[in-house]
Structure formats: C-alpha cells, structure tokens
Amino acid sequence: MSVELNHTIVHCRDNRESAEFFADLLDLTVGEEWGPFVPVVLANNVTLDFATIPADSIVPQHYAFLISEAEFDAAFAKIQARGIEFYADPQRKLPGEINRNDGGRGVYFSDPGGHWLELITRPYGG
C-alpha cells in the first residue's frame, strides 16, 4: 500500500467558522460535526478536521492547495470581494498581488484562525 494523507486536524478559535470560511471559499461541503471536529473533505479524499481550541494555544500553520485555473478565479474573486488581505509571497512583501510561479498563479492569505493559506494552480517545479 502506498502512503497517503488521510486527514489532519486544523486548530482554530471556532471550528464551524473556520470550516465554513474554507468550504465556501473553495466551493466545498462542510460535513457533519463529529465530536470536536467539523470536517471538510478535499477532492483527493483528504479530510481537514477543524477543531476549536483556546486561541492562545493555536500555532499558525501553512496549508497550500493545488486548484484549477477556474477554481482560482472563483476563490480569488471571493478573497477580493471580502476585502481579505492577500500577497504574492509568503514573506508578505508583495501585498495586493498574486504570483505567476511555474507558469501558474498563486496567492497567500490568512484564514479566520490565523493560518496562512496558499492557493496555487501549478505545483512547484512543475
């Protein structure tokens, strides 16, 4: 059997708010709450289990998502419409811009829990 990521837990201040933000942005479905988790399943069947923990215990993480050009257009339009600050780079030196790395497009922004999200249309090195 090959190794696959099945699920990961995403710590946040409000599991429902973070799951709905993420699902709405990428046109995904929020699953039924299961214990302390609100799940969102990605196209490759990896589940992000959003879990509420005390805000001072959250360590911001980086999550990058490979999406299609059409999905990027839709998500980026929502980012702009909501007034979410975005950057072309992880160092936040290029505000209000997207990147065109590897012939695709990419953008960095924060979610409600303070995690650093990245959307890309081409894998790095691709």
Side-chain angles (χ1 to χ4, degrees):
M1 177 178 184
S2 61
V3 177
E4 296 180 0
L5 180 63
N6 178 264
H7 68 278
T8 193
I9 296 170
V10 180
H11 291 159
C12 48
R13 292 184 294 262
D14 181 319
N15 60 0
R16 176 72 49 192
E17 175 190 36
S18 289
E20 288 177 355
F21 170 86
F22 181 77
D24 180 62
L25 185 70
L26 295 174
D27 198 27
L28 299 169
T29 302
V30 175
E32 292 295 318
E33 191 166 333
W34 184 73
F37 307 114
V38 176
V40 176
V41 180
L42 307 179
N44 59 348
N45 290 317
V46 172
T47 302
L48 300 179
D49 289 318
F50 292 86
T52 300
I53 68 168
D56 61 352
S57 297
I58 297 172
V59 176
Q61 300 292 314
H62 173 75
Y63 297 95
F65 301 94
L66 180 62
I67 61 177
S68 71
E69 292 288 342
E71 289 165 330
F72 187 94
D73 289 339
F76 188 59
K78 290 177 185 178
I79 289 168
Q80 291 177 302
R82 295 176 184 175
I84 297 171
E85 290 184 14
F86 61 91
Y87 303 83
D89 62 313
Q91 298 82 18
R92 301 180 191 190
K93 293 182 179 178
L94 300 169
E97 297 180 36
I98 64 170
N99 67 58
R100 302 216 179 256
N101 298 338
D102 295 299
R105 292 184 289 165
V107 66
Y108 295 83
F109 58 99
S110 294
D111 77 352
H115 296 296
W116 195 228
L117 304 183
E118 177 184 8
L119 304 178
I120 56 174
T121 62
R122 296 279 188 278
Y124 290 118

